[in-house]
Amino acid sequence: MSNNSNPMITDIFVAGARKGWGIATTSTLPNVLMAFVIIKALQITGLLDLLGKLCEPVMALFGLPGEAAAVLISSLMSMGGAIGVAVSLFQSGHLNGEHLAILAPAIYLMGSLVQYVGRVLGVVGTKGSRIPLMLLIAVINSFGAMLLMRIIINI
């Protein structure tokens, strides 16, 4: 890397690539791997089928099977984990491409909420009594986005 005050574009690219590699190997990849392991454990124990049956009435509103609730629940913890759960359910045949399209905006709107509550809202001093309302707004936005995606897909 050059030492002058105007770094070369290649130096900036290499520094960005190193940061991206660090994020991918220390955050995203472990979350996705964890999601695959959790879904496999839920499948082996039969808990995924139970979750699917319990959540089926609500998820049917969005045109999704009940098992899709596992994607939404995991998205609250980790966006990368939710992607891993979605891909795992796609590979096992529980979800199809249409389901993934409906779920995608919800994953991003609810993605990693639990992490951000601690990292952002706690640090900036948000009143604790307001945090549940803020989380609820994100969940409502996600449900609205899934309904909109269902309408768009069926047009």
Side-chain angles (χ1 to χ4, degrees), residues 23 26-28 31 76-79 111-126 131:
I23 291 170
T26 61
S27 179
T28 304
N31 284 325
L76 292 170
M77 302 294 177
S78 165
M79 197 178 304
S112 307
L113 279 179
V114 173
Q115 290 182 32
Y116 295 139
V117 165
R119 290 181 184 167
V120 178
L121 299 179
V123 172
V124 298
T126 302
I131 291 176

Side-chain angles (χ1 to χ4, degrees), residues 15-63:
R18 283 186 179 139
K19 287 181 183 177
W21 177 258
I23 291 170
T25 57
T26 61
S27 179
T28 304
L29 188 59
N31 284 325
V32 172
L33 183 61
M34 177 186 67
F36 280 111
V37 170
I38 289 172
I39 285 298
K40 198 64 175 172
L42 290 174
Q43 286 174 334
I44 291 171
T45 60
L47 290 175
L48 185 62
D49 292 334
L50 179 63
L51 177 69
K53 288 178 183 167
L54 288 174
C55 297
E56 188 174 12
V58 174
M59 299 310 288
L61 297 172
F62 308 106

Side-chain angles (χ1 to χ4, degrees), residues 69-155:
V71 176
L72 299 178
I73 292 168
S74 62
S75 73
L76 292 170
M77 302 294 177
S78 165
M79 197 178 304
I83 299 295
V85 170
V87 170
S88 181
L89 290 174
F90 178 77
Q91 288 178 334
S92 67
H94 289 91
L95 299 178
N96 60 30
E98 183 177 311
H99 297 145
L100 294 177
I102 293 170
L103 285 166
I107 291 171
Y108 293 111
L109 289 169
M110 292 195 323
S112 307
L113 279 179
V114 173
Q115 290 182 32
Y116 295 139
V117 165
R119 290 181 184 167
V120 178
L121 299 179
V123 172
V124 298
T126 302
K127 289 183 179 178
S129 61
R130 293 182 181 165
I131 291 176
L133 178 61
M134 297 169 87
L135 296 176
L136 181 64
I137 291 169
V139 171
I140 291 170
N141 284 337
S142 299
F143 286 179
M146 288 191 302
L147 286 172
L148 184 60
M149 282 301 293
R150 183 178 186 196
I151 292 168
I152 291 170
I153 288 173
N154 290 320
I155 291 178

